[in-house]
């Protein structure tokens, strides 16, 4: 067990290699937020922390669970919902009902940002970095549709303009990213940057030796405590021996070691969900950083994942209490420079919109859902 960052060559599932880095506060982090708008790689999906529609099934075994949750009833049996695209559901402001890695990170970064995205659902401007990440991810996903011998760097580069056009057709508002570029020079440079990221991936992994078991896999489960976890895994590799590797692509640079915990937390989140769904701890977690050509790997244990579960339960308890009280504290950090909500943030002289959820009268108990077994407080983590 442990972490490693390496300049790596081709490797098979479960083997060493790969690369990851997260020094991209405005890049991959922004791309991870596309589920707020209900869009993931150009496909319309339910927002990652929105409640499913009444009776809507997100996959095998999901029908009764989704309906029960919509009625305020949460079962204690883990629910398997994997490999399917969740339905589109337009929701008004409401209490959070699930956690994804992106929204968990939002709350840890700034509770008020979490509120703006999940409770208020405030719109956010398209980001060139996030959109580039979406295009690159689409290329790396669809590259594996071709036979192994046809998975070349030149072929992958040639896919970039087409994937951009597909995304633009589904999300016409992205055209505003280049509306002040009549000659197309900025767009050409942006596409060239995306092509360079795709080409760099071929120096890190050999797609002719990879046959992913899943790509852009949607996973969802309910813990014994009733907490619902969901998210998308970029790639799942399964070795002939059955060992599983979870892979995530980052279009930014690898972080310095002291900042590596954030992206590893995201991967451990996915590992926990997969463990609960399939009963097998993934052998390896791999972050591939296209911006710097680094690969970070980590081999988790059951003890690691139980610790992540405890942290998520404590985090969820804090979110529930904030939702019930309306007390969402802003937290000023260096990442505020990438935030679209400074105009309504008290840290920048703004006033948040009226809180859309009911709060108890002074002196009355908060209507917070009971914690499940082992659920604790943030201070206990």
């Amino acid at each position: 067990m442990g972490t490693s960052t390496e300049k790596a060559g081709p490797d098979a599932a479960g083997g060493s290699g790969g690369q990851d880095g997260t020094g991209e506060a405005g890049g991959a982090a922004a791309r991870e937020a596309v589920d707020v708008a209900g869009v993931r790689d150009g496909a319309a999906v339910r927002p990652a922390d929105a409640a499913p529609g009444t009776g809507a099934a997100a996959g095998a075994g999901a029908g009764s669970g989704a309906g029960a949750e919509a009625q305020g009833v949460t079962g204690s049996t883990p629910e398997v919902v994997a490999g399917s695209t969740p339905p589109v559901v337009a929701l008004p402001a409401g209490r959070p009902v699930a956690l994804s890695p992106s929204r968990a990170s939002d709350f840890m970064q700034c509770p008020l940002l979490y509120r703006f995205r999940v409770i208020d659902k405030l719109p956010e401007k398209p980001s060139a970095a996030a959109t580039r990440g979406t295009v690159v991810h689409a290329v790396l996903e669809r590259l594996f549709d071709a036979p192994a011998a046809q998975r070349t760097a030149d072929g992958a580069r040639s896919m970039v303009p087409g994937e951009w056009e597909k995304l633009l057709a589904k999300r016409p508002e992205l055209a505003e990213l280049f509306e002040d570029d009549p000659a197309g020079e900025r767009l050409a440079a942006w596409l060239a940057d995306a092509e360079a990221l795709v080409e760099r991936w071929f120096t890190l992994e050999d797609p002719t030796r990879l046959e992913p078991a899943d790509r852009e896999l949607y996973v969802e489960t309910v813990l014994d405590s009733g907490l619902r976890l969901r998210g998308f895994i970029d790639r799942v590799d399964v070795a002939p021996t059955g060992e599983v590797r979870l892979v995530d692509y980052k279009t930014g640079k690898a972080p310095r070691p002291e900042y590596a915990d954030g992206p590893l937390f995201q991967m451990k989140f996915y590992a926990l969900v997969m463990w609960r769904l399939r009963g097998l701890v993934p052998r390896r977690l791999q972050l591939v950083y296209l911006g710097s050509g680094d690969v970070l790997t980590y081999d988790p244990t059951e003890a690691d994942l139980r610790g992540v579960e405890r942290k998520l339960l404590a985090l969820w308890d804090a979110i529930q209490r904030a939702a019930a009280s309306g007390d969402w504290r802003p937290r000023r950090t260096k990442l505020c420079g990438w935030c679209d909500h400074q105009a309504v943030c008290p840290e920048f002289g703004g006033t948040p919109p009226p809180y859309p959820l009911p709060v108890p009268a002074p002196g009355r108990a908060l209507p917070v859902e009971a914690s499940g077994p082992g659920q604790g407080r943030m201070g206990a983590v």
Side-chain angles (χ1 to χ4, degrees), residues 42-240:
V45 300
R46 181 176 66 237
D49 291 297
T54 302
S64 60
E69 183 188 45
Q71 298 172 41
V73 179
T74 305
S76 59
T77 301
E79 176 185 349
V80 178
V81 185
S84 58
T85 300
V88 176
V89 178
L91 293 173
R95 289 175 63 86
V97 298
L99 269 181
S100 69
S102 300
R103 302 292 76 80
S105 296
D106 283 347
F107 186 84
M108 290 187 288
Q109 174 188 325
C110 174
L112 187 59
L113 174 63
Y114 178 98
R115 176 201 147 172
F116 287 158
R117 285 179 165 169
V118 177
I119 306 294
D120 299 286
K121 298 180 175 62
L122 298 184
E124 297 184 343
K125 297 178 181 178
S127 159
T131 305
R132 181 174 56 233
T134 300
V135 170
V136 170
H137 276 72
V139 170
L140 296 184
E141 176 193 359
R142 283 147 201 166
L143 176 71
F144 288 99
D145 291 340
Q150 298 178 21
R151 300 170 194 164
T152 65
D154 287 343
R157 285 176 61 100
S158 70
M159 294 170 65
V160 169
E163 291 301 331
W164 160 240
E165 292 297 333
K166 290 178 186 178
L167 181 60
L168 185 60
K170 294 172 181 175
R171 297 184 58 193
E173 72 277 10
L174 294 178
E176 69 183 68
L177 289 171
F178 304 103
E179 61 185 359
D180 59 345
D181 182 36
E185 295 178 357
R186 286 182 50 245
L187 174 59
W190 181 85
L191 289 171
D193 287 343
E195 292 172 2
L197 292 172
V198 168
E199 186 171 33
R200 179 170 289 150
W201 178 68
F202 283 79
T203 69
L204 306 173
E205 296 187 287
D206 181 357
T208 66
R209 298 178 59 191
L210 294 170
E211 291 297 340
D214 292 289
R215 291 167 277 154
E216 286 292 325
L217 178 68
Y218 174 76
V219 291
E220 179 175 312
T221 192
V222 178
L223 303 180
D224 290 341
S225 65
L227 172 58
R228 185 179 296 271
L229 304 177
R230 58 169 67 116
F232 286 87
I233 303 173
D234 287 345
R235 199 179 86 216
V236 179
D237 299 332
V238 180

